[in-house]
Structures are given as C-alpha cells and as structure tokens.
C-alpha cells in the first residue's frame, strides 16, 4: 500500500541562519518537527491529541544529511511520511527542498519511542494502530 | 546596602550567530537566563530549588539594548544583580560586555512574577524574603 | 494618515516550548522577526531586497511584555506595523494573540538602526523614504 | 595511535528544555558544536583561526541517539574526539552524559566537508594535515 506523504511549506527565519549565511544545522531538526506536526494533523491525529490521550513520541534517534544551502526568507518545501518500525517505534522521513527550484536542502529521518507521559515505553494503543497500521512498513 | 553582583562568563556559540555575523538578538534573552541561573546559585537559592519549593519566576517584561557586536567564540562577561520590585515582583539587571576589551555588547532587564506551579501569582514566602529582602530596592 | 497593519499567523513549535509548558520567552523576539518579514513583504520591500540594496536594520532596542500563555500547536495571530523614529531609526510594533480566542499572549516593539552592510549608520536612501515616509510618526 | 579526547562541561539552559521536561532534541546538535569548538581549541587550532585561514567545516551529515533525560541546570559532561574520514572529510564523535551519575544522555557524530569561504570543497591544506593527520582513522 502506498504511503501517504504530506507537503509542508515554511520560510527560513533570520533567527535560523548563522554566520556562514545558510541555516544553522540544528534548525533542520526543528523543521522536521514542524513537518511531523502537520503530517499527524493531516492524518487526523494531531500530536496534541496524542499527548491528551497519554501517548508521547520522544525521539530516540535522528539522522540528517545536509545537501544544499537555504538562505533567509527562502521558501522551503518539506515532504514527510511515517511508518511503524517494529512493534513500538515510529519513523518519520522528511525531505526538504527549495520550493522554487526543487534543489535539495536537507533530508533525514527520526525514530520515536511510544511512551506514556512518565516516559515509560508502551505498546501502541488500539486507536494508534487504527490510525497508523495501514502505513506500516510491513505492507 | 550595596547590591550583590555576580559575574558570569560565556562564549558565543556558532548557533547563536546569524548571517549578519554577530549574535542573533533573541540569544541575549537566553544569556540573561544563564546569568540569572548563576546569580541565584551564588545566592544559595538555585532556581531548581525554587521550583522544587513550588515557586516559579515567569517573565512578565523584558527590555534590551543592543550596544555592540559579539562574534562566534567571543568570550563575554555578564554582570547580573537582582532586586524585589514592589511586593511580588523581581527584577534582574544584566550587562554583557566583551571579556577582553570590556566593550559593551548588550544590556537589559527582566521583570518576573512570583507564581505557584499552576501559574497563579503568589506573595513571596518567608524563605524567599530571607534570601532576597536585603537586596530590596527600598533599602 | 492611518498606519498599515499586517496580520501574520503562526503556530507554536514544540521547540519553542519550555518545561513551564508555555513558549520560552526569547521565542517572542523570533516571532516578531517573522512578523517584520511579512510586513515588509506586504509593503513591497522585502528585507532580502533591502539587504541586496545594501541597507540593514539591526536591532538597537527591544521591549517585550508577556501577557498570557501559548502552548505547543496553538495558532497565534500577530498584528504588526512600523514607523520611522526620528530620521534614521525604524520602529516595529507587534501584538501576538491567540487566533481562536483573541487572548493576548505577548506584545512589544523593536527599534532598528539603518546601517550599511559594514554596520555603519546611514541616512535613509530615497527609495526607503518613498516606501516608509507615509508611515512616519510625524503624520 | 590513541585518539585525543577532550572533555567539556556544560549546564542545560532553561531555553533548551521543552514541555516534555527534558532538553529539546535539536539542542544536542548545538552542544555537539560547543564540544567541537573546545576540542579544536585544545588541539591549538581554534575554529575561528581555521575560518581566518579560509577553511570552513560545514556539516554534511549528523547522527544522534537519545539515551536519557537531562533537565534544566543538570551538569553534563561531553567527551569529544575527531578524525579524518577519507581525504577531505572530518568526523567528530561526541558522547554526552550526566556529570554526577555518568548516565548516558545523548551521543552521535557529525561529518564535515572541508570548504573554502565560498563553500567550494577543498583538499586539506598542509597546516591542517599537520594538526589532524596524527588523528587519522587509518592509524
């Protein structure tokens, strides 16, 4: 089954640049979070709703590749998708490119544990499986 | 009575610069927080201990002046002091300068409410008055 | 003459929250920058174009009031306007509120110098006066 | 030949926490930068000096693992080392742990290109090889 991809557009903030004239590397992880937030909203399960239900998705791993520059006020397009990894982890893949030219800027993925609000690992609840199972890697 | 001043030294991080080649303006507020943290520790009342006792100091006001540049890896010296403002507010004053030359970089102050952990305004507890009363503006 | 006001909408990022559960104070200055960027674009003089013409607007002063909470994913509405201050300074006023309820979140202003790319103060060029003079405080 | 390791101590800033009560994930990359900066200074080749000589080390890749929590004001210990990767890339490995307990917080590595100030890839200059060759992975 084909994976759902959400496209999110942002602009590079001045606060996100550094003296090299491009975005500072850690901002990519903040953009990935914006992409995840919008993707979950599109799947009708906003992350705020997840937290209200007692489920948190803390990062356990992140991998980033820096492919090209992005300057202040550049419009960037982010393509994001997600999938279960094994039984109790979730993976989000994000690719960020220049909205005008399509030039690659950065891409990567984050792996998330499923925990309760105290940070203890939990198995995915039924409502979670309903939302995400169709996007499992095993299909 | 003379006010106690704490001096704190930090270095400008690359992540704190922007494409203008100096520090991005919002970083000053983050440095002020580092200064407050060390000042309270020096007064034997770390902010972590305050929060453990159920007292929080959310910002209600901030004022900043930007006086000079500071580049990546510059060593900065911060002079910080605090005082009660009225009966239930606290003010921290911070002056940031180049450690080597003494050139002014930024200065300002922040005004903080005293609240419980739910964010409700409270009157200063006895232990708080003990620690800070001698630094009251009225003396 | 009535001043032009631009309204800009943003969402609070998880990276902008802190352990108090609301946005960290320095983020307000980053949001103000987003507001300025969109306001200048609306006035047909994007800041990137200003910099291309050799004019920069470094902050010399900032004042902020924190009025209410804003949590992760809250939609915020920012109203921004600008005016010349004297002959060679510019002031932006920003008011941030909850988009749904209108509850005030934070407001403040920033004062900017006009400098060349080397950071030297300059008088406003003719094109700058054309764009902004009608928004001068003296009118 | 055994690799040189530099140990750097930092404290978690309030601005680095998020509403989950631990540090926000992107801060790890900012801490890694602090570790790199101090490591290069210890090797008598501060990054500021590299940039003065026209050599920049932009990130091309980053990998992070999040192992444990770190709260506001926790003192963290970072162990950092570096090595050449192939002929024109450099890798920094960083492990961050709680200074008091030794509990692992986060670890990872960053891979850096060697470029001139215009961002064009360059081969390592002689002075660079002098400083870092003894730390090459091939030895």
């Amino acid at each position: 089954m084909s994976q759902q991809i959400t496209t999110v557009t942002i602009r590079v903030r001045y606060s996100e640049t550094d003296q090299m004239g491009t975005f500072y590397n850690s901002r990519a992880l903040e953009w990935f979070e914006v992409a995840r937030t919008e993707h979950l909203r599109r799947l009708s399960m906003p992350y705020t709703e997840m937290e209200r239900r007692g489920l948190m998705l803390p990062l356990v791993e992140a991998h980033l590749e820096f492919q090209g520059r992005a300057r202040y006020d550049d419009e960037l397009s982010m393509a994001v998708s997600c999938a279960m990894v094994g039984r109790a982890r979730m993976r989000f893949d994000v690719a960020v490119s220049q909205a005008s030219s399509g030039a690659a800027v950065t891409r990567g993925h984050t792996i998330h544990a499923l925990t309760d609000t105290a940070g203890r690992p939990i198995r995915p609840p039924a409502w979670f499986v309903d939302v995400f199972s169709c996007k499992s890697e095993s299909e």
Side-chain angles (χ1 to χ4, degrees), chain A residues 50 55 57 84 90 114 124-133:
Chain A
M50 281 197 194
L55 179 70
L57 295 177
M84 291 298 295
M90 205 166 174
L114 276 65
W127 59 261
F128 188 91
V129 174
D130 285 348
V131 177
F132 297 105
S133 62

Side-chain angles (χ1 to χ4, degrees), chain A residues 31-49:
Chain A
W31 298 342
F32 284 14
E33 176 226 302
V34 172
R36 289 194 302 274
T37 292
E38 295 310 318
H39 187 53
L40 293 176
R41 192 191 325 281
R42 194 72 57 84
L43 298 176
S44 304
M45 183 45 68
Y47 186 62
T48 48
E49 174 60 22

Side-chain angles (χ1 to χ4, degrees), chain A residues 77-93:
Chain A
S77 178
M78 306 196 285
V80 51
S81 60
C82 68
M84 291 298 295
V85 177
R87 299 201 148 192
R89 296 206 155 177
M90 205 166 174
R91 172 181 166 140
F92 288 84
D93 280 86

Side-chain angles (χ1 to χ4, degrees), chain A residues 3-89:
Chain A
Q3 227 176 22
Q4 185 168 342
I5 293 174
T6 299
T7 302
V8 184
T9 301
I10 55 166
R11 274 190 191 274
V12 179
R13 299 176 177 184
Y14 212 95
S15 59
E16 295 170 339
T17 64
D18 69 19
Q19 70 177 56
M20 233 182 253
T22 181
F23 64 99
Y24 182 76
N25 58 79
S26 75
R27 308 308 164 213
L29 281 172
E30 299 166 17
W31 298 342
F32 284 14
E33 176 226 302
V34 172
R36 289 194 302 274
T37 292
E38 295 310 318
H39 187 53
L40 293 176
R41 192 191 325 281
R42 194 72 57 84
L43 298 176
S44 304
M45 183 45 68
Y47 186 62
T48 48
E49 174 60 22
M50 281 197 194
E51 288 203 343
R52 259 192 295 273
R53 294 182 182 198
L55 179 70
M56 309 192 90
L57 295 177
L59 258 79
V60 291
E61 209 179 303
H63 186 77
L64 299 109
E65 288 166 57
F66 299 94
Q67 304 161 293
R69 295 167 72 85
R71 302 183 68 91
Y72 163 63
D73 211 34
D74 281 356
E75 200 170 27
L76 304 181
S77 178
M78 306 196 285
V80 51
S81 60
C82 68
M84 291 298 295
V85 177
R87 299 201 148 192
R89 296 206 155 177

Side-chain angles (χ1 to χ4, degrees), chain A residues 107-138:
Chain A
R107 72 175 170 202
H109 66 261
T110 51
I111 311 253
H112 302 254
L114 276 65
T115 73
D116 62 20
T117 54
R120 283 182 298 257
I122 54 171
R123 296 289 299 276
W127 59 261
F128 188 91
V129 174
D130 285 348
V131 177
F132 297 105
S133 62
C134 59
K135 289 147 211 96
S136 158
E137 281 189 330
S138 57

